[in-house]
């Protein structure tokens, strides 16, 4: 199993470092039944997403068929095969948030960030998704950026919130 | 034994049976779709549901173990209704273009619908859409896939290659190689075992039937056909004959009736292969014993599925492969050189068709190595199933055909060639010749069968000691030749890993890509007989024993061919025509750019209606009048409908205004 032949794209050391880190994690799990999902989780955390090359790398390192790896990756919506932004915005479109303006927020984000639903901004800052009820109906319309819920959002409030992310990479 | 009650009758069944097995044991048929006896039982299609007393829900009979005292209803009203609904739901997302489907009348889904008495389809909804994936060997049409996952089991568990697996989720689920990659671009060996188990038209060989008809109908072409050994004990099944029936003579007749110009036998080339491969083996052993460079064990190269597998999976070990082309490629090369010269025809004007039990052979013929002077050795490969279709299409009454011989010179063969179609057969054929060549004596086995390597086990081995060889082979005296035989890619992987670790004790290995060998290749008839492998195997050994000449080197047409044309085995000309080299592909094709994806343009539909519209005809007056009336009545109906809709909208708006008025009133009151 010569994984170096696999990836000619890993010339820069940043990339190589990530692969080494993933390799270390795989070494911890190797031989354990049903470890694929954990490995994929860790790999996505390190690499940001799970491109074809990385899926093949994981398949070879775990000695399982590639089609099995891609089968699991494509089954769970948490896994992404496309690059993800630094932050993930999820606009809630559950019933409460929807009627209180969630849809307007979606349109607003699409316009101001110039990003399609499910896509990532060209500067790689945000990945934009919608959620079906995040359980914060009392705070409608709610959005999530990464793990934080923001309540009663309006386009204006959203603009200043996003500006903060651009200023210092977060609100905290 | 278990005591059960099935459909009100007290019955018994062996311990450990599933409900399905228990019912079958008592001659009660429970319909199934995804289930494959002893191979695949996951209970995903739910068609086999039965009612079990005490159980809240219906149980899938194929995966539920029968328990002593169980009371089972296999055909109650509840069961019947459930099965029908399940079936109709399956059909609601099935491309039911049955009349144009290759599997029409041989489709298990169709048969099931008939058995369940389904005569309507009540569910209509979204249809999943998947583009057709056409490779040189195998075509995937996922619009027909029923997600039974038999192909996954065969690909992963039996062959151990794992090309096919379920991708995505829910309604979007498809079976494929992942990341939407086409089959022709990945490390699929094209063994075609998935096409054998597919119950519907989702996985099948990529058809070459039209191409072959076109060649037959092209009067400027000399169309030569050849038949692999395993076809003669299988094709009869397509015409209702029992599994394994020997139909060699009828097969040759049918080919002649179809209009082929020369009816040759790949068997002849199998004899040729033995001479070339046997000589190559002796040279490799000689080199190894005399300290020269040599790669051992040598592995057979007749099975193109196996070849593609090793090129992808063990690219660094391809030097172990014999350089011999597979027999039908040798035949093609000989037809377009030796035979073309005999007839005085240009190789370009010859068209060679191979009837093969194999889907991988379809990809073998397009490889760039399989050409001489720019002319492909073989022009088209038909699977056994495709040939049967052509025979049916031509209206030939196969079962009642008279027997016919193959044509000379390339149709005469020894018994050794027949057994090329069975696991262990190539090795046995090679040993019959090599042993006799070296010692001057016949191979010391009863009826010449090397018993340790006969049978359907995954890996078989034998040791043959060479004693008192002829003088020119004295260096072999006392050598214990160790051979191994495997069929199926799982066994091949085990032997290859041993080689890669440098621990292989063998001199010579035979590998066939499909479990059991070519008799159950990916292009063979789909059989419902559980003993089909044993039956085809036995009959092919019978075919061997029925011949007077049973050793390749005694085939008179092989002897004369060397005298007339090639000179010596492994001669320069032999190398040019009959030997090849291999491509290091790698698991992800990282060492090559060659793929086997076919870009097939969608056939243009000719609409009968537009043709009519192109030439307008004067309509009779009455028709005109009526159609104007109809037009007017349609307009009125439309206006009425619009009116109704507007009225409803108005009502809705008034209601909303009413609610809003009340809300405002509330607020006003609160404000006060």
């Amino acid at each position: 199993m010569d994984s170096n032949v696999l990836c000619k794209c890993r010339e820069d050391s940043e990339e190589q470092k990530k692969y080494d880190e993933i390799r270390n994690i795989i070494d911890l799990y190797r031989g354990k039944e049903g470890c694929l999902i954990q490995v994929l989780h860790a790999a996505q955390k390190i690499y940001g997403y799970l491109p074809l090359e990385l899926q093949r790398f994981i398949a070879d390192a775990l000695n399982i068929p590639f089609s099995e790896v891609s089968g699991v990756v494509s089954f769970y919506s948490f896994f992404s095969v496309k690059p993800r932004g630094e932050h993930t915005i999820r606009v809630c479109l559950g019933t409460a948030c929807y009627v209180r303006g969630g849809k307007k927020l979606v349109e607003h984000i699409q316009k101001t960030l110039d990003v399609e639903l499910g896509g990532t901004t060209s500067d790689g800052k945000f990945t934009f998704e919608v959620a079906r009820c995040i359980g914060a109906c009392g705070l409608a319309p709610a959005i999530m950026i990464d793990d934080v819920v923001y309540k009663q959002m309006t386009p204006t409030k959203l603009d200043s919130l996003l500006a903060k992310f651009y200023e210092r990479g977060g609100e905290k | 034994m278990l005591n059960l009650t099935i459909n009100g009758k007290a019955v018994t069944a062996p311990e450990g049976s599933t409900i399905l097995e228990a019912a079958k044991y008592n001659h009660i048929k429970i319909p199934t779709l995804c289930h494959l006896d002893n191979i695949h039982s996951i209970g995903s299609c739910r068609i086999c549901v039965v009612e079990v007393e005490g159980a809240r829900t219906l149980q899938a009979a194929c995966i539920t173990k029968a328990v002593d005292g169980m009371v089972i209803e296999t055909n109650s009203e509840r069961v019947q209704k459930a099965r029908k609904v399940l079936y109709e739901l399956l059909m609601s997302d099935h491309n039911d273009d049955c009349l144009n489907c290759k599997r029409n009348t041989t489709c298990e889904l169709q048969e099931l619908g008939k058995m369940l008495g389904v005569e309507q389809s009540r569910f209509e909804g979204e249809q999943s859409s998947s583009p057709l994936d056409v490779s040189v060997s195998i075509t995937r049409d996922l619009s027909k896939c029923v997600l039974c996952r038999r192909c996954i089991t065969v690909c992963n568990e039996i062959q151990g290659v794992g090309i096919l697996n379920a991708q995505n989720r829910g309604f979007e689920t498809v079976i494929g190689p992942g990341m939407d990659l086409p089959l022709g671009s990945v490390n699929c060996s094209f063994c075609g075992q998935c096409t054998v188990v597919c119950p519907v038209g989702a996985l099948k060989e990529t058809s070459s039937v039209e191409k072959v008809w076109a060649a037959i109908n092209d009067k400027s072409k000399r169309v030569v056909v050849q038949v692999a050994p395993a076809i003669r004990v299988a094709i009869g099944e397509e015409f209702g004959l029992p599994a394994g029936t020997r139909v060699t003579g009828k097969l040759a007749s049918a080919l002649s009736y179809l209009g082929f110009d020369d009816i040759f036998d790949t068997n002849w080339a199998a004899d040729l292969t033995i001479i070339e491969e046997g000589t190559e083996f002796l040279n490799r052993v000689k080199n190894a014993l005399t300290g020269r460079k040599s790669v051992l064990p040598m592995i057979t190269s007749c099975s193109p599925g196996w070849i593609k597998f090793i090129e992808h999976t063990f690219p660094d070990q391809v030097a172990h492969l014999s350089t011999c082309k597979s027999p039908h490629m040798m035949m093609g090369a000989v037809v377009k050189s030796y035979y073309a010269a005999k007839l005085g025809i240009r190789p370009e004007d010859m068209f060679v068709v191979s009837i093969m039990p194999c889907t991988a052979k379809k990809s073998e013929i397009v490889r760039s190595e399989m050409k001489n002077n720019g002319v492909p050795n073989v022009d088209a490969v038909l699977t056994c199933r495709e040939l049967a279709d052509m025979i049916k299409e031509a209206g030939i009454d196969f079962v009642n055909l008279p027997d016919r011989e193959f044509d000379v010179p390339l149709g005469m063969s020894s018994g050794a060639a027949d057994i090329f179609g069975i696991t262990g057969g190539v090795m046995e054929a090679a040993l019959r010749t090599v042993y006799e060549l070296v010692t001057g004596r016949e191979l010391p086995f009863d009826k010449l069968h090397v018993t340790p390597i006969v049978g359907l086990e995954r890996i078989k081995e034998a040791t043959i000691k060479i004693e008192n060889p002829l003088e020119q082979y004295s260096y072999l005296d006392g050598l214990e030749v160790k051979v191994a035989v495997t069929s199926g890619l799982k066994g091949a992987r085990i032997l290859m890993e041993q080689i890669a670790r440098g621990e292989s004790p063998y001199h010579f290995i035979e590998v066939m890509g499909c479990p059991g060998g070519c008799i159950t290749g990916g292009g063979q008839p789909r059989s419902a007989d559980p003993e089909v492998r044993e039956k085809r195997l036995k009959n092919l050994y019978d075919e061997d024993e029925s011949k007077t000449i049973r050793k390749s080197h005694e085939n008179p047409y092989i002897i004369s061919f060397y005298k007339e044309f090639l000179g010596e085995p492994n001669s320069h000309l032999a190398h040019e025509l009959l030997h090849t080299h291999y491509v290091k592909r790698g698991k992800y094709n990282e060492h090559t750019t060659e793929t086997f994806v076919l870009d097939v343009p969608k056939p243009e539909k000719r609409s009968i209606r537009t043709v009519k519209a192109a030439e307008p005809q004067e309509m009779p007056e009455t028709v005109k009048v009526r159609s104007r009336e109809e037009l007017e009545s349609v307009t009125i109906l439309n206006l009425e409908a619009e009116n109704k809709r507007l009225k409803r909208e108005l009502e809705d708006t008034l209601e909303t205004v009413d609610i809003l008025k009340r809300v405002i009133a509330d607020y006003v009151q609160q404000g006060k």
Side-chain angles (χ1 to χ4, degrees):
Chain A
M1 203 181 315
D2 190 358
S3 52
N4 289 325
V5 233
L6 263 186
C7 200
K8 292 162 199 97
C9 62
R10 298 213 305 272
E11 276 143 8
D12 62 288
S13 58
E14 186 76 16
E15 184 98 347
Q16 188 60 51
K17 236 167 75 187
K18 286 180 186 167
Y19 268 87
D20 288 344
E21 213 178 316
I22 294 167
R23 152 88 52 196
N24 288 339
I25 289 182
I26 292 172
D27 285 341
L28 289 178
Y29 279 108
R30 200 192 310 274
K32 281 184 194 150
E33 186 93 11
C35 66
L36 177 60
I37 290 181
Q38 276 90 323
V39 169
L40 289 173
H41 264 292
Q44 178 155 301
K45 200 159 189 188
I46 294 163
Y47 200 82
Y49 67 112
L50 300 165
L52 180 77
E53 291 291 340
L54 180 54
Q55 289 183 44
R56 284 178 169 170
F57 175 82
I58 292 168
D60 287 353
L62 288 173
N63 200 18
I64 54 177
F66 162 74
S67 64
E68 199 178 320
V69 174
S70 81
V72 171
V73 169
S74 60
F75 187 90
Y76 293 105
S77 57
F78 181 84
F79 295 127
S80 173
V81 294
K82 280 187 258 162
R84 294 185 68 88
E86 205 180 313
H87 304 285
T88 303
I89 307 179
R90 289 193 181 89
V91 175
C92 181
L93 284 185
T95 315
C97 292
Y98 185 87
V99 297
R100 302 210 55 167
K103 189 134 185 283
K104 257 188 211 144
L105 294 174
V106 169
E107 283 158 9
H108 185 72
I109 291 172
Q110 279 175 332
K111 215 164 65 196
T112 51
L113 292 181
D114 189 23
V115 61
E116 283 299 299
L117 199 56
T120 300
T121 53
S122 52
D123 59 2
K125 193 81 179 170
F126 294 107
T127 292
F128 172 46
E129 293 171 349
V130 295
R132 303 283 169 200
C133 191
I134 53 174
C137 308
L139 310 175
I143 71 160
M144 275 177 88
I145 298 184
D146 300 330
D147 301 332
V148 185
V149 176
Y150 297 90
K151 62 175 181 175
Q152 289 154 355
M153 201 40 67
T154 62
T156 339
K157 274 164 88 178
L158 186 61
D159 282 343
S160 56
L161 177 62
L162 293 181
K164 278 178 195 154
F165 274 86
Y166 276 108
E167 276 161 28
R168 47 196 175 90
E171 215 200 5
K172 285 160 225 167
Chain B
M1 288 303 256
L2 298 167
N3 292 304
L4 312 165
T5 308
I6 303 183
N7 301 342
K9 286 198 186 89
V11 296
T12 57
E15 297 277 347
S17 314
T18 60
I19 295 177
L20 182 68
E21 285 158 354
K24 200 172 175 186
Y25 185 78
N26 290 289
H27 308 288
I28 296 165
K29 186 168 174 164
I30 297 175
T32 56
L33 179 61
C34 65
H35 173 82
L36 253 191
D37 271 341
N38 303 322
I39 294 175
H40 180 72
S41 260
I42 57 166
S44 71
C45 76
R46 316 305 290 179
I47 288 292
C48 66
V49 285
V50 294
E51 216 169 332
V52 176
E53 201 178 87
R56 190 174 52 85
T57 54
L58 297 178
Q59 304 291 306
C62 69
I63 50 165
T64 311
K65 288 264 183 252
V67 180
D68 205 42
M70 216 179 221
V71 180
I72 302 156
E73 284 289 337
T74 69
N75 199 33
S76 65
E77 192 187 359
R78 187 177 166 208
V79 166
Q80 280 186 354
K81 273 192 178 158
R83 285 187 190 144
K84 276 189 185 159
V85 168
L86 284 164
Y87 185 83
E88 287 176 66
L89 284 169
L90 265 175
M91 290 305 288
S92 73
D93 187 25
H94 185 79
N95 173 358
D96 49 6
D97 188 15
C98 295
L99 293 182
N100 295 316
C101 181
K102 192 88 194 154
R103 292 296 295 274
N104 191 18
T105 74
T106 63
C107 170
E108 292 180 41
L109 188 64
Q110 240 178 20
E111 209 178 309
L112 179 68
K114 197 162 179 231
M115 185 183 170
L116 297 178
V118 176
E119 290 181 346
Q120 57 178 346
S121 170
R122 288 170 291 175
F123 307 113
E124 241 177 76
E126 208 181 327
Q127 295 252 331
S128 44
S129 66
S130 296
L132 204 61
D133 173 17
V134 186
S135 75
V136 177
S137 282
I138 293 170
T139 296
R140 285 165 67 227
D141 182 356
L142 297 178
S143 70
K144 290 169 184 162
C145 176
V146 291
L147 300 173
C148 70
R149 299 171 194 233
R150 286 181 185 177
C151 54
I152 296 184
T153 298
V154 167
C155 191
N156 289 266
E157 312 298 325
I158 304 221
Q159 290 291 57
V161 283
I163 305 301
L164 296 175
N165 261 305
Q167 311 294 326
N168 307 328
R169 175 162 54 163
F171 189 68
E172 255 101 66
T173 305
V174 291
I175 310 300
M179 296 292 277
D180 295 329
L181 294 168
L183 201 59
S185 74
V186 299
N187 53 329
C188 174
S189 68
F190 294 138
C191 74
Q193 287 300 313
C194 56
T195 70
V196 178
V197 296
C198 183
V200 291
L203 286 164
K204 60 201 161 198
E205 62 271 63
T206 301
S207 177
S208 306
V209 171
E210 269 181 52
K211 200 177 163 190
V212 173
W213 276 130
I216 290 174
N217 292 326
D218 182 349
K219 294 297 160 226
S220 70
K221 289 259 192 262
R222 176 97 180 185
V223 188
V224 179
V225 71
Q226 56 168 322
V227 202
I231 305 292
R232 61 206 71 196
V233 293
I235 196 165
E237 295 162 32
E238 290 277 346
F239 301 95
L241 295 172
T245 310
R246 280 160 60 194
V247 290
T248 318
K250 293 184 194 302
L251 177 58
S253 280
L255 292 169
S256 159
Y257 286 8
L258 281 174
F260 290 104
D261 297 311
D262 298 282
I263 323 292
F264 289 152
D265 195 348
T266 311
N267 273 12
W268 179 85
D271 280 334
L272 183 61
T273 304
I274 288 302
I275 307 300
E276 287 297 317
E277 200 166 271
T279 310
E280 183 188 357
F281 176 63
L282 281 174
N283 281 336
R284 287 201 193 202
V285 172
K286 187 178 180 184
N287 286 343
L289 290 177
T290 52
R292 268 174 287 180
K293 213 177 137 231
S294 175
V295 182
L296 284 175
M298 185 176 98
I299 316 176
T300 57
S301 56
C302 303
S303 168
W306 146 244
I307 297 298
K308 195 155 179 284
F309 172 79
I310 186 176
E311 287 176 331
H312 283 299
T313 322
F314 298 94
D316 296 333
Q317 312 294 339
V318 289
H320 286 277
L321 292 170
S322 159
T323 57
C324 288
K325 286 181 182 172
S326 70
H328 88 114
M329 298 306 317
M330 285 198 184
M331 173 67 91
V334 171
V335 165
K336 291 194 182 183
S337 56
Y338 167 77
Y339 190 61
K342 256 188 180 225
L343 295 176
I345 298 178
R346 295 187 315 151
E348 294 86 344
D349 294 331
M350 303 200 88
F351 193 92
V352 176
V353 179
S354 305
I355 314 295
M356 297 285 128
C358 185
T359 45
K361 298 266 183 201
K362 283 178 184 274
S363 67
E364 186 185 24
I365 60 169
V366 301
R367 296 174 63 125
S368 54
E369 310 90 74
M370 296 300 171
K371 282 181 185 158
N372 286 96
N373 304 321
V375 181
N377 294 154
V378 172
D379 299 279
V381 166
L382 295 172
T383 64
C384 187
R385 300 186 292 256
E386 284 178 292
L387 177 65
D389 287 346
M390 283 181 75
I391 294 172
K392 287 172 192 165
E393 194 183 337
I396 296 167
D397 178 7
F398 186 85
V399 176
N400 293 311
L401 282 177
D403 283 351
R404 181 196 192 275
E405 297 285 319
F406 286 105
D407 293 330
V408 286
L410 308 178
M412 156 85 193
S413 65
S414 75
D418 286 305
I419 56 173
F420 258 62
I422 324 168
T423 170
V426 175
M427 182 61 76
E428 182 173 315
L431 290 176
R432 283 183 195 174
T433 288
V434 169
Y435 188 87
E436 197 165 318
L437 231 59
V438 167
T439 64
R441 302 183 302 272
E442 233 179 32
L443 190 64
F445 281 99
D446 183 34
K447 292 185 192 159
L448 293 174
H449 295 315
V450 186
T451 24
I453 56 169
V454 172
L456 294 168
E457 301 81 41
R458 177 167 285 154
I459 294 172
K460 300 167 284 185
E461 45 183 15
T463 306
I464 282 106
K465 193 168 182 183
I466 306 226
E467 282 167 316
N468 301 321
L470 298 174
E471 209 185 308
Q472 64 267 41
Y473 294 107
S474 56
Y475 57 90
L476 291 173
D477 200 7
L479 180 72
E480 290 192 342
V481 182
K482 287 195 167 66
V483 302
V485 169
T486 191
S487 64
L489 297 172
K490 215 171 186 177
R493 188 189 289 272
I494 296 169
L495 292 179
M496 283 317 296
E497 277 167 356
Q498 208 177 23
I499 290 175
R501 287 196 305 267
E503 292 167 4
S504 182
Y506 308 111
H507 297 94
F508 197 0
I509 297 176
E510 177 208 289
V511 179
M512 292 188 188
C514 292
C518 314
I519 46 168
T520 34
Q524 289 284 61
R526 303 174 178 97
S527 177
D529 188 333
E531 280 160 10
V532 62
R533 291 207 293 173
E534 289 80 357
K535 287 177 182 168
R536 289 180 187 163
L537 178 140
K538 185 192 165 290
N539 281 295
L540 212 43
Y541 275 117
D542 286 351
E543 182 94 355
D544 159 32
E545 285 174 22
S546 73
K547 289 196 177 162
T548 342
I549 297 172
R550 307 223 8 242
K551 296 165 228 158
S552 300
H553 60 279
E554 289 176 355
N555 181 340
Y557 286 100
I558 292 289
I559 299 168
S560 62
F561 176 66
Y562 275 102
K563 260 193 211 144
E564 267 180 59
F565 191 67
L566 279 187
E568 292 291 308
N570 289 12
S571 66
H572 182 73
L573 186 56
H575 264 282
E576 202 182 295
L577 290 174
L578 310 179
H579 290 253
T580 184
H581 60 271
Y582 302 100
V583 180
K584 289 186 179 192
R585 295 182 197 278
K587 198 167 168 191
Y588 303 118
N589 280 315
E590 57 270 25
H591 308 306
T592 174
T593 51
E594 187 177 28
T595 72
F596 295 90
V597 182
L598 260 192
D599 210 6
V600 186
K602 250 194 162 176
E604 249 178 68
K605 287 237 172 176
R606 260 186 286 171
S607 168
I608 300 165
R609 255 178 247 120
T610 46
V611 173
K612 271 191 185 155
E615 28 188 300
Q617 281 175 340
E618 198 54 43
M619 270 189 284
E621 198 57 33
T622 49
V623 176
K624 263 190 194 169
V625 171
R626 204 175 63 212
S627 63
R628 196 186 304 131
E629 275 170 5
E630 269 169 12
L631 265 180
E632 276 166 4
S633 64
V634 168
T635 319
I636 291 166
L637 282 174
N638 276 343
L639 284 172
E640 273 173 1
E642 179 73 5
N643 204 6
K644 240 187 212 167
R645 196 182 58 80
L646 285 171
K647 268 186 189 162
R648 243 182 289 129
E649 233 167 63
L650 185 66
E651 268 168 35
D652 282 355
T653 319
L654 287 175
E655 208 183 306
T656 319
V657 170
D658 220 39
I659 294 168
L660 285 175
K661 267 185 189 163
R662 262 182 278 152
V663 173
I664 292 167
D666 277 359
Y667 271 105
V668 172
Q669 223 156 24
Q670 274 174 12
K672 275 178 187 169

